[in-house]
Structure formats: structure tokens, C-alpha cells
Amino acid sequence: MIVLKLGGSVITEKDRAETLDGDALERATDAIAAALEAGLEDLVVVHGGGSFGHHNASEHGVSTTAGTHDASAVLEIHGAMKTLNRFVLSRLLERDVAAVPVHPFSAAHRDSEGRLELPTGQVETMLAEGFVPVLHGDLIAHAGAGATVVSGDELVTSLAGDLEADRVGLCSTVPGVLDGEDAVIDRIDEFDAVADVLGASDATDVTGGMAGKVQTLLDLEAEASIFGLEALESFLEGAEPGTTID
Ligand code: IPE
């Protein structure tokens, strides 16, 4: 089973509010459709927000830890993410991928320690029935804090662990994790070795940049890869493009 995240910055114009990167989304969905056609089974897709979630969330001061009790803010942020999810689903459906939505707001929550609780029965049943579940970064109810952001990366980690994924892919705007000379680092197996070269994400991003992604992926059982859009199809076909983290 593969859990694939399409970064929000890949499929949207991250610096322009609620703007899709239509060409990138077509390329991504072409690659997914081609891999499924070539025999890939059991794929879970998670997409980020890019310009569809982060702007609204930061306007309302909402992050993974700072919550809101304002229901209209919740609907605005969740609504933006559902709009983007709809675009992703329709591009997949156009390519005959049996993509179906899972909205984390209606499926998950955080406990009072901030831990994500995402039951997997829904996703497992969808997979068994031949669907491709498509989740997204979202807001979720958070005990003691109202509603906070759940990032696509957190969803990926949680699903990969609970569903015992074989592989995890993060399709990003960069071809991998870059070193000080902008060369792709082939393999990372401990954070300290790369801590110096990992900066924060440049555009508005309430859920952290590359450093956070690497840390999260190091904690996973499954082997994870960070790669660019051009390598998505080869990743789905079994190659290890970009940076491999384990
Ligand atoms: C963000 O999801 C969701 C919201 C801000 C509501 P992600 O944090 O996974 O999005 P990207 O991939 O970094 O854009």
C-alpha cells in the first residue's frame, strides 16, 4: 500500500489566494492514473492546502496548535479545503480513477494532548472496495482548543503507521531535500546530519516546512521519498526518486 501526498504548493499557486495550478494538477493526476492502469493497487492520496487553506487559516490565527471556536472561521477554512479536494477528485475521475473524498474534519479529532486520532476503518473499507481515498489537510476538532489545523503530513504519518503502508511519497515543489549546494540528498537516516541545511518554508505555511517533513518521515516505519512532480510516475511504479528517508 502506498500513501501519497501531493503538496499544496505543487497543485496550487501558493502565493495567490485560492488559485489552482491546473497544469501541475493535470500532470499529477495523469501520473496517478497511469500507475493504476499499470497495475498499482491500494493507493491513498492526501493533498495539502497551498493557497486554499493556509491564507484563510492564518487570517483567523489558526494553526496546528492555536485553535478557534468561531464556527464561521471553521466553515471558511474547511470549505476552502473541500473546494480544492473537489478539483483533485474531478481531475482523477476524468481519468477513470475511482477517487472518493475523506474529509478529516468529519473523520478525525485531536485529544487534549494534541494527538491526532484518525480511525482507519473508513479508508480500509474504501481500499478493499477498490476506491482511491483522497484526504486533505483540514481543520479538526481539538479537545480544549476548538478546532486546529491538521496537515497533510500528519495525516500521511498517521495513515502510513496504522495501515502499515509499504511506501510513503511526498510529491513536492523541489526534486528532493537539497543540501547547501542545492544538490538532492539521496538518503537521510538521522535528522542531525541535515539540520543545518533545512530552512523554513518561504510562503505562508502554518504547518511547517521541509525540516518538519523530514522529522515526521524519520519517525515512520515505512520508507518515505520526497521528490518533484516530474518523478511522481516513477515513484508510483516502484523507483526511489529524490530523497529517501528511513
Ligand atoms: C494545510 O494542509 C491545511 C490547512 C491550512 C487547512 P498542509 O499543511 O498539508 O498543506 P501544504 O501541503 O503545506 O500546502
Side-chain angles (χ1 to χ4, degrees):
M1 206 265 297
I2 293 183
V3 180
L4 169 70
K5 185 190 172 198
L6 298 175
S9 317
V10 176
I11 57 171
T12 73
E13 302 276 354
K14 196 154 184 184
D15 297 318
R16 293 176 55 194
E18 307 215 358
T19 310
L20 205 62
D21 184 336
D23 288 346
L25 183 54
E26 304 240 323
R27 285 177 64 196
T29 51
D30 278 346
I32 291 170
L36 290 164
E37 191 131 313
L40 173 67
E41 284 172 21
D42 289 349
L43 173 68
V44 178
V45 177
V46 178
H47 65 80
S51 57
F52 282 78
H54 291 286
H55 289 275
N56 320 64
S58 57
E59 245 166 56
H60 291 285
V62 181
S63 69
T64 52
T65 50
T68 181
H69 289 89
D70 176 353
S72 63
V74 171
L75 283 187
E76 187 187 309
I77 301 161
H78 174 63
M81 291 307 305
K82 282 212 301 194
T83 301
L84 177 56
N85 185 245
R86 188 79 225 165
F87 281 122
V88 175
L89 289 170
S90 62
R91 295 301 184 281
L92 287 167
L93 289 176
E94 280 165 20
R95 288 159 178 77
D96 293 327
V97 174
V100 291
V102 178
H103 303 303
F105 187 75
S106 308
H109 73 282
R110 280 188 205 287
D111 67 16
S112 55
E113 307 288 321
R115 278 187 300 256
L116 170 63
E117 301 285 343
L118 172 64
T120 52
Q122 195 177 18
V123 168
E124 276 171 303
T125 307
M126 288 171 182
L127 287 172
E129 295 303 313
F131 294 110
V132 175
V134 184
L135 294 85
H136 52 85
D138 203 351
L139 289 193
I140 49 172
H142 183 153
T148 53
V149 171
V150 62
S151 71
D153 291 2
E154 282 180 277
L155 296 167
V156 165
T157 315
S158 169
L159 289 167
D162 291 350
L163 299 173
E164 296 178 358
D166 304 299
R167 307 175 69 214
V168 169
L170 289 198
C171 181
S172 169
T173 48
V174 285
V177 181
L178 305 178
D179 67 15
E181 267 111 53
D182 280 356
V184 173
I185 301 170
D186 204 42
R187 233 183 157 82
I188 299 174
D189 41 34
E190 55 159 349
F191 188 75
D192 286 351
V194 291
D196 289 351
V197 297
L198 297 181
S201 175
D202 43 7
T204 311
D205 185 339
V206 295
T207 51
M210 189 61 89
K213 287 188 206 309
V214 169
Q215 258 166 337
T216 312
L217 296 174
L218 277 169
D219 291 340
L220 277 183
E221 263 319 294
E223 192 172 89
S225 299
I226 298 183
F227 49 83
L229 184 52
E230 68 293 338
L232 175 56
E233 196 169 335
S234 74
F235 169 79
L236 291 173
E237 284 167 355
E240 284 184 358
T243 303
T244 303
I245 299 172
D246 66 3

